[in-house]
Amino acid sequence: MSAGVKTEAEKRKQISVRAIADVEDVNSMKKSFNRHLHYTLVKDRNIATPRDYFFALAHTVKDNLVSRWIRTQQHYYDKDPKRVYYLSLEYYMGRTLTNTMINLGIQGACDEALYQMGLDIENLEAIEEDAGLGNGGLGRLAACFLDSMATLGLAAYGYGIRYEYGIFAQRIVNGEQTEEPDDWLRFGNPWEKARPEYTIPVNFYGKVVETPEGKKWIDTQVVLALPYDSPVPGYKNNVVNTLRLWSAKSPVDFNLKFFNNGDYIQAVIDRNVAENISRVLYPNDNFFEGKELRLKQEYFMCAATLQDIVRRYKVSKFGIRDAVRTSMDSFPDKVAIQLNDTHPSLAIPELMRILLDQEHLPWDNAWDITTRTCAYTNHTVLPEALERWPCSMLACILPRHLEIIYHINHLHLEEVLRKWPGDLDRMGRMSLIEEHGEKKVNMAHLSIVGSHAVNGVAWLHSEILKSDLFKDFYEMWPEKFQNKTNGITPRRWLLLCNPSLADLITDKLGDEWPSHLDQLAKLKPLAKDKMFQNEVMKIKQENKMRLAAQLENDYGVEINPSSIFDIQVKEKFQLYTVEKAGVGTWRSTEENDNFCIIDSILLQVKRIHEYKRQLLNVLHIITLYNRIKKNPKGNFVPRTVMIGGKAAPGYYTAKKIIKLVNLVGRVVNNDPVIGDRLKVIYLENYRVTMAEQIIPAADLSEQISTAGTEASGTGNMKFMLNGALTIGTMDGANVEMAEEMGEDNIFIFGMRVEEVEALKVKGYDAMEYYNSNEELKLCIDQIKDGYFSDGNAGEFSDIADILLKWDRFYLLADYEDYIKCQDRVNEAFMNKRKWAEMAINNIASSGKFSSDRTIAEYAREIWGVEPSWEKLPSPHEKV
Ligand SMILES: *Cc1c(COP(=O)(O)O)cnc(C)c1O
């Protein structure tokens, strides 16, 4: 989707921004732009393409940041504060240009400079590729955290992998998902700076030998890690932190064997295999796929990062000129390492290996340093998502690390038995090594044992960790367990994506709220103010009109802009496996068992389902359709339902659900009896940039996961901040959203966690619900009988089967309450004043969900550093 036509409000805003842009700034911006067009892009205005203009602008903006970047790093070197290292396999950054201009406060000057040169800045912004180095919430959280860590003045660094291909582009062809590689670096990345001089070797394979100085890992194969740095500007505070992403590079002597055998050409060609490590992001969200290449990616990132951290620790001057630290004792006082899920958990045995084998510390000393340095964030309780690496794979690729893990486990289990003598069951449950079947390392257990803090990402999720998934560990170390409810950066998710609403809020509250989001609470008294309601709803309507025009253009479906814009977007359709366990009997597993025999029919069922329950939404759509068909003259509140998200490639049933949504849409959208009362849009290729475009236009946000399955959610917070109302279950952060705004301002339905647990114990029989609700029965029969697939009964019969026989997520148990709740939504929507009041109450209650609040809590309660809202001095740079 490209930027649409400018609304009156936006034009007015532009004029006001231009008015305040400093003439000198504008002139220097124009000069810099022309210089880059000439010297960097080697073009003139006659032959420059829009992309050239984008790059010239990006370089101009980057120039405004480099002095701040250098000075910030110099400041850290001089002051030597405790450093915070955020380790993540994913950074879902989206675009950088607009965010950078906003955080530097140069948007007005850039806008005016381009206007004076006859260029439209919005058209150029739309040319930037998304940096899609993430799957969904976990990767986007890392991106929001970087923004907040810089805004809070923390000496923080993001570390990850510079994937050559990010998350695939989704195309819908004949209703089905297809994948295209995301070649995001094709035209170059104007923000990154390669630092080949800091290249670091990473070892794989080899063997461990005993030497007089201790253990040695020898005969390894080396892959080089080449760092690329990107700037992370704080919001108007002159701080610029660093995101350092590693790219794999073959060493010169790679495959020397071939070389010596005279096969020079083959040796050069084979250098590529080492570089495959940073080739592509694994497109799994909340799902563990035990692939060797993924293990190598995880270790590659951890090993390169830890060498960098130790190097920086050693050269820090800690107040003494030209001094070099030789003792590792103060490491935990100077370094905090945060593990974004278990993906970077090999940092724990890697740090141990450095301390033991290279620094020659005694085990207990090394272990004390490691555990005081590391902290672990858990992101899911779904069993199929938990990482369990086979010991055989570790023994081959990381033999020394496996030894260290075994010894950690040995000492850990001794401690367990000291605390609970003779409790062998407990010992088995708490082991880092799972012995049933193939021996595997449970990476979550390793992360808990090797960290001083373990946190969940919303209150409910953290409670479930303590009472269920990590109960034994909680009983052993209650003080380790914490909660850090997720948040989102208000810069991208309001200032950038909804400028009209941001301006309105600034009119009322002044301009400090973007870094002090609690101030939004001051809007609460205005919730019943008719003038303010009108202003808020006028902005919403303009956002809806713009999206409607875009959707009509993209999908050829006519949109009723006064309908409820009802949106469910999730980056991934969650999948689970149903395993063959004999005819008619099924159980779930994380194993890779694709084919199952049921009633002698060969049926392919890979990881099917989604805990996010898009199918429940589809059941609601079909119910509305049937109601209108049954009563064509009836009064219905019009709706436009939008669903978006990518299925993991190769997972059959998730893709089938996408197809069902598309085919239901085809039937609904083309039925003249339905008209403009119901439309269904499948949002193709949902990603950060699309989220920025649709969320400000949403009336209703669907957050309908089975209670106890969504750890937090952050999409829910983005909608709330932009004045959409939520229909949701008491799951993840929805619980805290309801608490902040009061249950009058949110549509809560469905089973609570305790009720889900009780249903599990009692036994869930979907047929009971099917047989006792006629509307539900009709929907499922239509799916089964091919109503939406031109009578092809086979097309979606497996989806009906899942709902009725193997559904782990109890869709039908929540159906009736969901439909009733949607009816209440319709009623509320008809009362425009009431709806506006609720929307304002949502906005005004969203202060808690700023990632600034989340990061301030991590800083004080886990990392032992204090946030600072003070600005660094401005460099007064003119380029
Ligand atoms: C915020 C965000 C997510 C996470 O959304 P949830 O609804 O919490 O799963 C996923 N993808 C994108 C592009 C996002 O911006």
Side-chain angles (χ1 to χ4, degrees):
M1 292 201 289
S2 62
V5 185
K6 277 199 189 92
T7 62
E8 278 310 310
E10 280 167 339
K11 279 185 200 149
R12 251 187 292 113
K13 178 183 165 256
Q14 271 203 346
I15 291 160
S16 70
V17 196
R18 269 196 217 116
I20 55 161
D22 183 278
V23 178
E24 236 184 284
D25 289 344
V26 173
N27 285 340
S28 109
M29 215 62 86
K30 287 197 314 202
K31 235 190 251 169
S32 171
F33 181 92
N34 285 320
R35 193 166 47 76
H36 277 297
L37 196 62
H38 189 87
Y39 289 103
T40 311
L41 296 151
V42 197
K43 291 269 180 101
D44 64 30
R45 292 283 310 249
N46 294 320
I47 56 164
T49 64
R51 179 168 286 107
D52 294 323
Y53 292 134
F54 160 71
F55 276 103
L57 176 58
H59 284 292
T60 300
V61 169
K62 192 185 175 191
D63 287 350
N64 275 267
L65 173 151
V66 289
S67 296
R68 291 175 173 89
W69 197 2
I70 291 170
R71 288 166 62 121
T72 302
Q73 301 310 312
Q74 182 66 42
H75 175 78
Y76 294 156
Y77 182 75
D78 291 339
K79 292 274 159 16
D80 194 26
K82 184 170 183 179
R83 309 301 211 283
V84 172
Y85 295 102
Y86 197 78
L87 272 58
S88 178
L89 268 285
E90 300 187 15
Y91 290 91
Y92 205 172
M93 304 295 285
R95 289 178 182 153
T96 296
L97 175 60
T98 315
N99 182 249
T100 306
M101 293 190 297
I102 288 176
N103 280 16
L104 295 182
I106 59 172
Q107 204 182 14
C110 289
D111 197 19
E112 177 63 21
L114 288 175
Y115 176 80
Q116 290 183 11
M117 291 185 290
L119 295 167
D120 181 357
I121 196 164
E122 281 188 25
N123 292 340
L124 302 191
E125 288 168 342
I127 290 168
E128 184 172 6
E129 298 265 354
D130 272 37
L133 308 186
N135 277 289
L138 174 142
R140 184 54 232 175
L141 186 77
C144 285
F145 279 7
L146 292 179
D147 185 84
S148 285
M149 290 189 292
T151 297
L152 297 194
L154 302 185
Y157 303 76
Y159 274 93
I161 293 178
R162 179 179 177 272
Y163 301 107
E164 204 175 311
Y165 294 87
I167 188 67
F168 63 85
Q170 178 192 56
R171 299 275 164 261
I172 304 294
V173 180
N174 297 325
E176 293 177 24
Q177 168 177 304
T178 59
E179 300 91 23
E180 289 170 9
D182 168 45
D183 193 5
W184 71 294
L185 295 168
R186 188 172 47 235
F187 296 103
N189 175 357
W191 308 108
E192 69 183 9
K193 178 76 190 85
R195 302 279 191 202
E197 68 276 24
Y198 300 134
T199 297
I200 284 176
V202 175
N203 296 283
F204 295 93
Y205 302 104
K207 62 184 181 194
V208 182
V209 291
E210 293 269 11
T211 72
E213 301 95 66
K215 301 261 190 169
K216 258 210 164 104
W217 183 20
I218 61 163
D219 295 346
T220 56
Q221 291 181 27
V222 174
V223 178
L224 300 179
L226 171 59
Y228 285 77
D229 290 349
S230 295
V232 180
Y235 180 66
K236 292 185 177 171
N237 64 354
N238 298 317
V239 170
V240 180
N241 285 344
T242 301
L243 169 62
R244 176 162 282 186
L245 301 179
W246 301 104
S247 179
K249 188 89 186 119
S250 228
V252 179
D253 61 357
F254 188 79
N255 255 339
L256 211 55
K257 206 167 51 211
F258 275 115
F259 196 77
N260 291 341
N261 289 344
D263 199 347
Y264 165 73
I265 297 293
Q266 197 58 45
V268 174
I269 289 171
D270 285 352
R271 292 165 57 81
N272 282 322
V273 300
E275 295 171 9
N276 283 340
I277 288 178
S278 57
R279 195 78 67 205
V280 59
L281 168 75
Y282 274 90
N284 294 320
D285 190 49
N286 280 306
F287 193 86
F288 173 60
E289 193 185 345
K291 287 279 193 289
E292 194 173 294
L293 182 61
R294 167 72 180 198
L295 178 66
K296 287 180 180 167
Q297 289 184 337
E298 294 185 357
Y299 179 66
F300 174 74
M301 200 280 275
C302 292
T305 300
L306 271 165
Q307 285 183 67
D308 218 29
I309 293 173
V310 170
R311 174 193 57 77
R312 190 174 293 115
Y313 167 80
K314 287 190 172 180
V315 301
S316 293
K317 44 198 259 179
F318 58 107
I320 304 171
R321 206 166 216 292
D322 298 326
V324 173
R325 277 199 187 97
T326 49
S327 162
M328 298 302 288
D329 289 345
S330 53
F331 197 76
D333 305 318
K334 287 293 176 187
V335 174
I337 294 177
Q338 191 66 37
L339 308 177
N340 196 22
D341 212 313
T342 59
H343 312 154
S345 59
L346 286 167
I348 291 167
E350 175 64 6
L351 180 53
M352 283 299 286
R353 190 188 65 81
I354 292 170
L355 297 174
L356 294 169
D357 300 357
Q358 291 173 3
E359 302 296 326
H360 303 291
L361 296 188
W363 179 281
D364 289 349
N365 194 356
W367 184 242
D368 177 65
I369 290 171
T370 299
T371 54
R372 286 166 57 212
T373 301
C374 296
Y376 156 55
T377 304
N378 172 277
H379 285 269
T380 179
V381 298
L382 296 181
E384 63 270 34
L386 303 178
E387 292 192 298
R388 298 172 162 101
W389 289 107
C391 293
S392 56
M393 204 188 279
L394 289 167
C396 173
I397 297 171
L398 301 169
R400 179 63 179 131
H401 297 80
L402 184 60
E403 275 189 10
I404 290 170
I405 291 167
Y406 279 140
H407 196 64
I408 293 171
N409 194 40
H410 171 77
L411 297 174
H412 162 60
L413 294 181
E414 278 187 351
E415 202 181 331
V416 171
L417 279 187
R418 268 199 302 281
K419 190 149 176 159
W420 290 280
D423 192 344
L424 297 181
D425 277 354
R426 182 184 293 263
M427 195 184 83
R429 292 197 302 271
M430 295 183 74
S431 176
L432 309 192
I433 312 294
E434 298 187 344
E435 306 270 1
H436 44 266
E438 194 186 7
K439 272 221 272 180
K440 289 173 182 166
V441 179
N442 183 317
M443 304 308 277
H445 290 187
L446 172 64
S447 302
I448 297 169
V449 174
S451 299
H452 67 282
V454 177
N455 73 283
V457 291
W459 172 81
L460 177 66
H461 169 60
S462 297
E463 290 301 309
I464 291 171
L465 292 184
K466 291 189 285 185
S467 65
D468 193 2
L469 189 60
F470 299 149
K471 184 168 191 282
D472 294 312
F473 293 92
Y474 175 64
E475 287 169 3
M476 186 148 178
W477 299 298
E479 68 285 353
K480 273 194 193 186
F481 285 78
Q482 301 194 19
N483 172 245
K484 297 286 168 280
T485 299
N486 280 168
I488 55 171
T489 170
R491 273 74 67 183
R492 184 175 294 264
W493 298 112
L494 182 48
L495 215 43
L496 182 154
C497 73
N498 201 343
S500 323
L501 183 59
D503 276 357
L504 175 62
I505 294 171
T506 301
D507 278 350
K508 302 289 171 197
L509 304 181
D511 60 4
E512 299 226 295
W513 61 267
S515 48
H516 299 83
L517 204 65
D518 286 334
Q519 292 181 5
L520 292 186
K522 291 191 228 157
L523 297 173
K524 273 180 193 163
L526 295 176
K528 287 182 193 291
D529 179 319
K530 282 192 181 163
M531 282 271 286
F532 190 64
Q533 289 180 348
N534 290 345
E535 290 175 301
V536 169
M537 294 323 280
K538 181 162 175 284
I539 289 164
K540 179 64 78 181
Q541 197 56 36
E542 285 171 352
N543 293 340
K544 288 175 69 175
M545 304 277 275
R546 191 170 336 99
L547 180 62
Q550 195 66 57
L551 295 176
E552 291 190 8
N553 181 60
D554 292 351
Y555 302 108
V557 177
E558 209 175 300
I559 305 291
N560 174 358
S562 35
S563 63
I564 302 178
F565 280 25
D566 168 342
I567 307 187
Q568 184 179 27
V569 279
K570 294 287 168 181
E571 194 56 35
K572 281 294 168 304
F573 284 81
Q574 186 50 51
L575 304 163
Y576 77 101
T577 304
V578 176
E579 180 197 290
K580 173 176 67 182
V583 174
T585 52
W586 295 71
R587 64 191 171 80
S588 70
T589 169
E590 78 279 12
E591 295 304 322
N592 233 328
D593 208 345
N594 302 331
F595 291 93
C596 308
I597 298 166
I598 312 160
D599 302 335
S600 308
I601 301 164
L602 199 63
L603 170 72
Q604 193 184 24
V605 276
K606 289 205 181 186
R607 284 114 197 159
I608 34 185
H609 119 102
E610 8 28 88
Y611 70 93
K612 293 171 190 271
R613 300 201 293 193
Q614 284 88 352
L615 267 178
L616 188 54
N617 196 345
V618 175
L619 292 177
H620 174 242
I621 295 168
I622 300 175
T623 303
L624 289 182
Y625 169 80
N626 288 332
R627 283 181 182 176
I628 301 174
K629 290 292 273 186
K630 197 169 157 193
N631 181 12
K633 297 219 163 64
N635 247 333
F636 294 93
V637 180
R639 271 199 199 230
T640 304
V641 185
M642 297 164 224
I643 299 182
K646 296 172 183 176
Y651 294 126
Y652 172 83
T653 304
K655 290 188 159 181
K656 197 126 244 197
I657 293 168
I658 292 176
K659 188 163 189 190
L660 177 63
V661 175
N662 277 286
L663 295 203
V664 168
R666 196 180 62 188
V667 170
V668 170
N669 298 347
N670 293 306
D671 190 329
V673 173
I674 302 297
D676 68 355
R677 292 179 287 186
L678 181 61
K679 289 281 187 268
V680 181
I681 302 287
Y682 197 88
L683 297 165
E684 193 177 337
N685 201 27
Y686 177 61
R687 62 201 184 283
V688 172
T689 294
M690 188 189 280
E692 291 163 10
Q693 290 161 352
I694 60 172
I695 289 169
D699 293 308
L700 186 66
S701 156
E702 300 262 354
Q703 305 296 336
I704 59 179
S705 53
T706 314
T709 65
E710 181 79 89
S712 164
T714 49
N716 46 5
M717 301 166 186
K718 299 167 195 166
F719 283 100
M720 179 185 181
L721 181 60
N722 283 276
L725 305 193
T726 298
I727 181 166
T729 49
M730 276 298 199
D731 197 21
N734 298 353
V735 176
E736 289 155 83
M737 284 165 44
E739 181 175 306
E740 291 297 301
M741 68 178 96
E743 289 205 26
D744 296 351
N745 292 297
I746 185 168
F747 299 97
I748 295 290
F749 73 94
M751 294 178 287
R752 311 306 199 245
V753 172
E754 308 76 44
E755 292 167 304
V756 173
E757 289 304 315
L759 183 61
K760 258 183 224 174
V761 172
K762 169 177 162 253
Y764 170 62
D765 179 9
M767 291 304 289
E768 276 176 33
Y769 302 93
Y770 169 82
N771 285 320
S772 62
N773 186 315
E774 287 202 5
E775 285 193 300
L776 173 61
K777 183 167 184 301
L778 177 58
C779 293
I780 291 179
D781 289 347
Q782 286 169 323
I783 292 172
K784 187 160 45 193
D785 299 342
Y787 185 96
F788 301 102
S789 46
D790 290 332
N792 177 1
E795 174 89 69
F796 296 120
S797 57
D798 38 6
I799 286 192
D801 277 353
I802 290 158
L803 288 173
L804 293 174
K805 295 181 195 161
W806 311 302
D807 176 14
R808 273 168 76 199
F809 297 94
Y810 317 114
L811 268 80
L812 302 201
D814 274 343
Y815 170 85
E816 191 171 317
D817 202 25
Y818 178 55
I819 298 296
K820 282 187 185 151
C821 194
Q822 290 283 20
D823 293 341
R824 288 198 281 124
V825 169
N826 289 336
E827 237 173 85
F829 192 73
M830 293 203 295
N831 183 346
K832 296 296 165 202
R833 292 262 157 250
K834 184 70 196 154
W835 189 275
E837 182 187 334
M838 291 173 75
I840 294 165
N841 280 328
N842 268 260
I843 299 166
S845 309
S846 54
K848 171 173 175 182
F849 304 104
S850 168
S851 46
D852 297 347
R853 186 269 313 151
T854 312
I855 287 299
E857 290 178 11
Y858 275 92
R860 294 187 174 122
E861 296 161 23
I862 298 180
W863 303 331
V865 295
E866 192 52 33
S868 157
W869 280 266
E870 266 169 51
K871 287 185 188 176
L872 289 185
S874 163
H876 295 299
E877 58 196 333
K878 291 270 187 289
V879 185

